[in-house]
Amino acid sequence: METREYQLRIPTAIYKNRLKAIEELTELLRNLTGEELLPEDAEITIYQEYQLSTRNCGHTFSEFRVRHGYDETGALIPGNSASADINNDAEPPTYKADALKWNLTVADGYKYEQKLEMDIHSSHRKYNRKAKVKDLPQTFRFQNCGEVAAMFPGAFKNGITHPEEHILQEGVSLTIWEYSFKGKMFFDIVKYKFAWTLYFLSVDTALDFDAQPFPNSEFSIRVYSPGEGYGPWQYEALEYSASIYKKLLDYYDA
């Protein structure tokens, strides 16, 4: 599927009263889109995330992470609620054809989705190819390069010579508290996801609605090409989505 994600860094001090800050932006989105965006339709997702590096495997991906789900009480969700994400940015960043060269197809037996996405920031944009493997057991961990290659058989263009080499964790684990709305806008042509992705050091802090998130927290608008992301882009729909993003940038002087 093909998507675009418009990303906005909002000053974290605004989130000292988290739900008030979210409601303020939600009201602006209602006025811009005509969508209802009712609180009862919002989805809250909590997960602990850690970033991994495959530099011992012969190639370092732009992002490689594992997430483990938690419920709103702070308890680990039992069963298959973990996921693994891998992506590689285009080089140069705006060269879509380069992103298409990466084969991140997942091995048989896994539930997954694969995207070609353009990330759009206030100062730059980039294409990337990404894959997300869903419904992994909570005990899931990558131990070595061979396990990564087994899940993503075509990811390493030159193969791997040392499958036993360890996968390295990058930095500390962080907890993400995500509040989102999903639906369709612009005459039901544009499938969207509006999401507040807030980063905290721990699950307990993420559940404290007066806690200030880390500066890398963001608000994003992800839009899908027509046909649930599998059809060609429509110019008017992209123009409409971009106009919403521009108004948010102006509102927050970003």
Side-chain angles (χ1 to χ4, degrees):
M1 69 176 69
E2 192 165 352
T3 61
R4 293 193 177 189
E5 186 178 40
Y6 301 86
Q7 300 177 21
L8 172 64
R9 293 281 174 87
I10 298 173
T12 55
I14 290 175
Y15 292 110
K16 287 182 178 178
N17 186 327
R18 191 183 308 174
L19 294 183
K20 180 180 178 182
I22 289 174
E23 176 54 32
E24 177 185 319
L25 178 48
T26 301
E27 183 60 26
L28 177 58
L29 290 168
R30 291 186 188 110
N31 291 333
L32 293 175
T33 66
E35 298 292 297
E36 289 188 316
L37 305 179
L38 301 175
E40 55 266 32
D41 295 329
E43 180 179 349
I44 294 176
T45 309
I46 303 165
Y47 36 80
Q48 192 171 63
E49 171 186 294
Y50 54 91
Q51 299 282 341
L52 299 169
S53 171
T54 55
R55 63 177 177 267
N56 287 345
C57 307
H59 176 73
T60 301
F61 292 93
S62 304
E63 189 169 36
F64 184 34
R65 68 192 181 201
V66 173
R67 291 174 168 177
H68 297 270
Y70 287 75
D71 64 25
E72 291 182 56
T73 70
L76 195 64
I77 299 173
N80 297 335
S81 59
S83 63
D85 297 74
I86 191 170
N87 79 56
N88 211 89
D89 294 341
E91 185 57 48
T94 57
Y95 192 35
K96 183 177 181 179
D98 186 79
L100 288 168
K101 292 178 182 177
W102 290 95
N103 180 6
L104 301 182
T105 302
V106 179
D108 291 343
Y110 293 103
K111 181 180 179 182
Y112 75 97
E113 64 180 27
Q114 191 171 176
K115 294 191 188 95
L116 173 67
E117 184 161 88
M118 177 190 277
D119 290 337
I120 300 169
H121 303 258
S122 60
S123 60
H124 66 282
R125 67 187 187 277
K126 63 180 179 179
Y127 280 104
N128 62 63
R129 190 70 173 264
K130 59 181 63 178
K132 180 185 185 73
V133 182
K134 307 176 181 180
D135 296 347
L136 296 172
Q138 279 287 23
T139 56
F140 179 81
R141 296 286 189 279
F142 283 110
Q143 301 294 335
N144 56 53
C145 299
E147 292 177 355
V148 180
M151 182 175 284
F152 305 99
F156 295 96
K157 292 182 178 180
N158 299 317
I160 55 172
T161 55
H162 300 288
E164 74 284 355
E165 286 284 352
H166 291 296
I167 299 299
L168 306 174
Q169 181 169 333
E170 298 276 282
V172 299
S173 298
L174 295 176
T175 298
I176 296 173
W177 185 91
E178 182 185 276
Y179 185 97
S180 64
F181 293 101
K182 299 176 183 177
K184 289 188 176 181
M185 59 184 179
F186 194 66
F187 309 106
D188 282 343
I189 295 172
V190 180
K191 179 182 176 181
Y192 68 82
K193 179 181 179 181
F194 300 141
W196 290 257
T197 304
L198 308 183
Y199 287 82
F200 300 89
L201 189 58
S202 68
V203 175
D204 288 342
T205 310
L207 296 175
D208 178 0
F209 282 17
D210 294 323
Q212 190 168 316
F214 289 162
N216 58 333
S217 300
E218 66 181 23
F219 171 78
S220 64
I221 302 171
R222 174 172 279 133
V223 295
Y224 297 72
S225 68
E228 304 295 316
Y230 294 98
W233 287 107
Q234 184 187 66
Y235 175 79
E236 292 81 5
L238 284 176
E239 189 175 47
Y240 176 78
S241 303
S243 71
I244 296 171
Y245 181 57
K246 177 63 167 61
K247 288 170 183 174
L248 295 182
L249 291 175
D250 292 342
Y251 183 78
Y252 286 104
D253 194 24

